[in-house]
Amino acid sequence: MQELAQRCPAATLKVTALVSPASHHSLELNLIHENLSGFARELGVFLQFVAYNVDALDPAELVAITSDNAVAVHLRVGSAHVTALSTVLRLVKRLGVKVVVSVDRGCDLSALGGEIYTG
């Protein structure tokens, strides 16, 4: 985002998050959105953030959503079941992804403190 701000002042960055309710809590997603928005504001970058439920999304819809965009993928290790991993990787290839980032552990929501409303 910093490089984008340096190269193209007042640029627009579109972030499309594909999340599964089984592996991501809405609080976690809201925190990510808030952090990215704050960082973008500081840099003078306009941020568009949209989240889609990947469990309910047809791969053809995903290809349409990402067409004409540079695509980066963040895969959390363990986010896809081993039997689904090959399907996920085929989809990543089909999207023409430019960057893939993977991390080996995520955030434990209990570490955020307080109670988490799930209703």
Side-chain angles (χ1 to χ4, degrees), residues 50-73:
V50 181
Y52 291 97
N53 178 349
V54 73
D55 298 335
L57 195 62
D58 181 328
E61 291 176 286
L62 180 56
V63 171
I65 289 168
T66 59
S67 67
D68 299 327
N69 292 299
V71 177
V73 173

Side-chain angles (χ1 to χ4, degrees), residues 5 12 14 21-22 25 27 29 37-38 42 59 65 68 70-72 76 78 81-82 96 101-102 106 108 113 117:
T12 298
K14 180 180 176 184
H25 192 280
L27 176 61
L29 190 58
S37 295
E42 289 175 16
I65 289 168
D68 299 327
V71 177
R76 221 166 48 182
H81 190 273
V82 174
V101 177
S102 182
D108 179 6
Y117 176 71

